[in-house]
Amino acid sequence: MKKLLALLLAGVLACGLTACGGTPTAEEDASSGDDTTATADKVYNIGICQLVQHDALDAATKGFQDVLTEKLGADSVKFDVQNASNETANCATIVNGFVSSNVDLILANATAPLQAAASATDTIPILGTSVTDYATALDIENWTGTVGGNISGTSDLAPLDQQAAMIQELFPDATTVGLLYCTGEPNSVYQCEVIELALQDMGYSVEKFAFTDTNDVNSVTQAACDASDVIYIPTDNTAASNTEAIANVVLAAKVPVVAGEKGICEGCGVATLSIDYYDIGRMAGEMAYEILVNGKDISTMKVESAAEVTKMYNVANCEALEITVPEGYEPISAEE
């Protein structure tokens, strides 16, 4: 009898242990699962402040949005895209609104939005794009390629020494070069300072012609035409928004324009050494994904630049000014 009781007791204990091991508690069940559902349900809110609407900045914004939509899915990312209409004060208002809404990330498309975002928050990640020189924009000395803090991004700068060499290649008999730009854009001021030195080293006489806003574009462009054999326009947003007005002056005066990017060249120039703004927008989108999803530390992320630059020419304007473009230049087609 004692042996029978012992066997029965052992069986009961075994069943109890099996039951405890085979059916997890609610707490155990919750802790054993992964966070796939939580990740899938996350919707990222991104504020985009674009300085002004023109082809180059539009392409950068589109490239950024395309990457994140592809990687996250259209239902998992929301973009609040706002245009500052080329007004610095509007940039500050827009970015402060993003901060108040506690967006997950800010894309600052151009220098003025980047400066506004940097002043507005030191916690929300900020990515710049279409920004020529971050050291100039953010007043950084001893530039190492990394902003630090909560800022990084992509640059739209094509090598300025190569742009100067392009002017010499296309117009070897020219003696005077006028630099046409907006004084209110630090990116333009920086480019003109750098290329002025390069052109002077090549033996050119260089003079700067600066407008303050759209109201004096025509008169300043005419002054540049009167004093120059060739005009250079950097990646200037005010110029990019007024290419038709500039074209009306320079074509009538038969003075060629070499531009810092394709959009300006297409509007009023004859040639450019250009990056692809859609590509740098996509690069910024890839950086955003790494920050938002993979937790990459933005303070360690170097500012990235376009891998390639392309020599391009405006077929119609070259024909109108009887300019023969050497080999190695791609035509800017109407479909681009």
Side-chain angles (χ1 to χ4, degrees), residues 46-243:
I46 298 177
I48 300 177
C49 180
Q50 181 173 316
L51 177 62
V52 65
Q53 281 190 296
H54 61 69
D55 290 347
L57 299 191
D58 291 349
T61 292
K62 186 175 188 306
F64 178 82
Q65 291 177 294
D66 284 354
V67 165
L68 289 176
T69 302
E70 291 163 10
K71 285 182 168 289
L72 298 173
D75 294 332
S76 295
V77 59
K78 291 184 178 179
F79 301 104
D80 183 358
V81 184
Q82 298 196 36
N83 171 26
S85 301
N86 210 22
E87 294 289 340
T88 301
N90 290 345
C91 293
T93 301
I94 291 167
V95 170
N96 285 329
F98 293 156
V99 174
S100 297
S101 300
N102 196 29
V103 296
D104 295 298
L105 183 141
I106 295 171
L107 178 73
N109 192 348
T111 299
L114 178 69
Q115 293 171 323
S119 297
T121 177
D122 59 4
T123 56
I124 296 173
I126 299 166
L127 288 173
T129 193
S130 313
V131 176
T132 301
D133 184 68
Y134 283 73
T136 299
L138 301 174
D139 195 23
I140 299 172
E141 295 183 0
N142 303 316
W143 175 247
T144 62
T146 303
V147 176
N150 62 322
I151 300 173
S152 189
T154 59
S155 169
D156 65 352
L157 181 63
L160 290 164
D161 57 341
Q162 293 182 39
Q163 294 183 54
M166 173 182 285
I167 293 173
Q168 189 176 53
E169 176 183 45
L170 291 170
F171 308 105
D173 297 328
T175 60
T176 58
V177 178
L179 308 182
L180 183 65
Y181 65 102
C182 178
T183 53
E185 298 191 34
N187 52 300
S188 299
V189 174
Y190 167 79
Q191 290 172 86
C192 287
E193 288 175 349
V194 174
I195 202 167
E196 178 181 19
L197 295 175
L199 289 168
Q200 288 174 340
D201 286 344
M202 293 176 176
Y204 288 104
S205 174
V206 182
E207 186 174 351
K208 294 177 181 177
F209 298 89
F211 43 82
T212 56
D213 53 37
T214 58
N215 294 321
D216 55 351
V217 167
N218 280 26
S219 59
V220 174
T221 301
Q222 185 61 61
C225 287
D226 293 342
S228 311
D229 298 322
V230 183
I231 291 173
Y232 171 76
I233 302 177
T235 56
D236 185 285
N237 292 293
T238 305
S241 301
N242 290 273
T243 56

Side-chain angles (χ1 to χ4, degrees), residues 268-286:
C268 63
V270 296
T272 181
L273 182 71
S274 186
I275 63 151
D276 190 316
Y277 277 78
Y278 180 78
D279 284 350
I280 63 168
R282 287 191 66 91
M283 290 165 63
E286 296 282 357

